[in-house]
């Protein structure tokens, strides 16, 4: 396991009285590394600040091991939830003072209660779940082969990948990879993907490129180049690289198109 990605979306950490919602924070942790979360203070620094008076100064910590990650709850009174947003409502409850609870989900949302009728939360991506050869392959454990690109075909990030690859799989000879707004529109009406925002789609593309498919980042723009143009070029290059690799190695195939909602033009022709 190469590590995990912890993401606190903008505003998801709540806000102290009179403050605006906090900025987004993204952390990358390798095996053996720890990230602490809580309200924090000058004497209690935390990597993830959850600015709500119901959250302890040091509410808990995340620790990465070789093959999973663990959650420790430092609160003496509050339980925390770890939800599986990709599943059918599965969640774990981490009780007060529980140390090192192992978390099995590939994509998790850690949720803490507040006194405002809402919650504060952050996300954890554990990208390196690997799968063995199919049953019946035979051979000893040491001789078994793991999958080069370990993707969960039921996950939302895979749905985003299929939407990116769709024009090629339908042989539409596209001149460009679908943009983020086009992916959002394409998934509209899907049971889970229909709730995706442009920011969420961009996060899934980053996750695919950086963690699942391990795309080498494009070179930084030359000195003097516009920051906005350079950022757009890197984003476009990342989408192009994700689609190119997924198609070359048949990570996404024609049968995966059934995961997408029906196309609007197909419905119009039927009528």
């Amino acid at each position: 396991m190469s590590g995990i990605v912890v993401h606190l979306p903008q505003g998801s950490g709540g806000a102290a009285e009179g403050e605006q919602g906090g900025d987004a924070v993204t952390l990358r942790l390798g095996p053996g590394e720890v990230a602490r979360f809580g309200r924090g203070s000058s004497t209690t620094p935390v990597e993830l600040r959850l600015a709500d008076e119901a959250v302890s100064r040091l509410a808990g910590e995340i620790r990465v091991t070789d093959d999973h990650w663990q959650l420790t709850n430092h609160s003496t009174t509050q339980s925390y939830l770890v939800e599986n947003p990709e599943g059918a409502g599965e969640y774990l409850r981490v009780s007060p003072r529980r140390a090192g609870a192992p978390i099995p989900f590939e994509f998790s949302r850690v949720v803490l209660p507040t006194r405002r009728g809402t919650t504060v939360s952050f996300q954890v991506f554990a990208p390196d779940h690997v799968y063995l050869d199919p049953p019946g392959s035979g051979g000893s454990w040491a001789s078994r082969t793991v999958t080069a690109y370990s993707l969960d075909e039921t996950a939302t990030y895979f749905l985003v990948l299929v939407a990116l690859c769709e024009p090629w799989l339908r042989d539409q000879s596209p001149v460009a990879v679908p943009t983020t707004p086009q992916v959002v529109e394409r998934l509209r009406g899907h049971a889970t993907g229909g709730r995706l925002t442009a920011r969420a789609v961009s996060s899934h593309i980053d996750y695919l490129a950086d963690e699942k498919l391990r795309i080498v980042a494009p070179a930084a723009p030359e000195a003097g180049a516009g920051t906005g143009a350079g950022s757009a070029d890197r984003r476009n290059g990342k989408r192009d690289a994700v689609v190119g690799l997924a198609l070359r190695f048949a990570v996404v195939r024609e049968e995966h198109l059934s995961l997408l909602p029906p196309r609007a033009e197909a419905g119009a022709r039927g009528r």
Side-chain angles (χ1 to χ4, degrees):
M1 182 173 184
S2 62
I4 66 172
V5 176
V6 183
H7 181 60
L8 177 66
Q10 185 173 14
S12 296
E17 194 67 32
E19 292 185 2
Q20 298 296 320
D23 294 334
V25 177
T26 300
L27 305 174
R28 298 179 184 275
L29 305 176
E33 293 186 312
V34 174
R36 294 169 296 182
F37 59 90
R39 198 158 89 250
S41 70
S42 59
T43 58
T44 309
V46 293
E47 286 72 32
L48 293 174
R49 183 169 181 258
L50 307 176
D52 188 277
E53 62 271 17
V55 176
S56 304
R57 294 290 183 186
L58 178 58
E61 67 178 39
I62 292 167
R63 180 178 298 273
V64 185
T65 71
D66 287 336
D67 57 3
H68 65 283
W69 63 279
Q70 302 172 342
L71 180 67
T72 294
N73 182 353
H74 287 302
S75 173
T76 59
T77 58
Q78 299 282 8
S79 292
Y80 305 153
L81 296 183
V82 183
E83 301 174 340
N84 176 14
E86 305 287 359
E90 300 96 336
Y91 68 89
L92 297 175
R93 182 181 295 110
V94 182
S95 57
R97 303 184 304 279
R98 174 70 161 91
I103 308 302
F105 307 136
E106 184 175 11
F107 177 31
S108 306
R109 181 185 295 115
V110 180
V111 183
L112 283 68
T114 72
R115 298 183 63 182
R116 304 183 185 187
T118 59
T119 58
V120 292
S121 63
F122 57 88
Q123 301 161 354
V124 181
F125 297 83
D128 280 357
H129 289 190
V130 295
Y131 299 88
L132 296 172
D133 285 335
S137 299
S140 65
W141 176 271
S143 69
R144 289 182 181 268
T145 305
V146 296
T147 305
Y149 302 111
S150 180
L151 278 70
D152 180 357
E153 295 183 5
T154 66
T156 303
Y157 65 75
F158 191 80
L159 185 68
V160 170
L161 181 58
V162 175
L164 288 171
C165 296
E166 181 184 25
W168 279 265
L169 295 173
R170 295 194 188 278
D171 195 24
Q172 295 177 358
S173 301
V175 295
V177 175
T179 64
T180 296
Q182 286 172 336
V183 172
V184 172
E185 181 62 29
R186 180 65 184 91
L187 297 179
R188 196 177 306 279
H190 189 275
T192 56
R195 298 192 297 269
L196 288 174
T197 62
R199 183 185 296 272
V201 168
S202 294
S203 295
H204 282 295
I205 293 172
D206 287 341
Y207 179 58
L208 283 162
D210 300 340
E211 306 298 337
K212 301 303 290 185
L213 302 178
R214 302 181 295 282
I215 302 290
V216 177
E222 296 180 3
T227 302
S231 176
D233 288 345
R234 286 194 296 274
R235 173 69 63 185
N236 292 336
K238 183 175 287 189
R239 289 204 315 271
D240 290 346
V242 162
V243 170
L245 188 148
L247 293 173
R248 284 199 305 272
F249 289 99
V251 174
V252 177
R253 301 177 298 279
E254 188 173 349
E255 60 262 31
H256 292 130
L257 292 174
S258 62
L259 298 173
L260 299 173
R263 291 189 294 174
E265 61 267 29
R269 285 197 300 270
R271 289 192 295 273

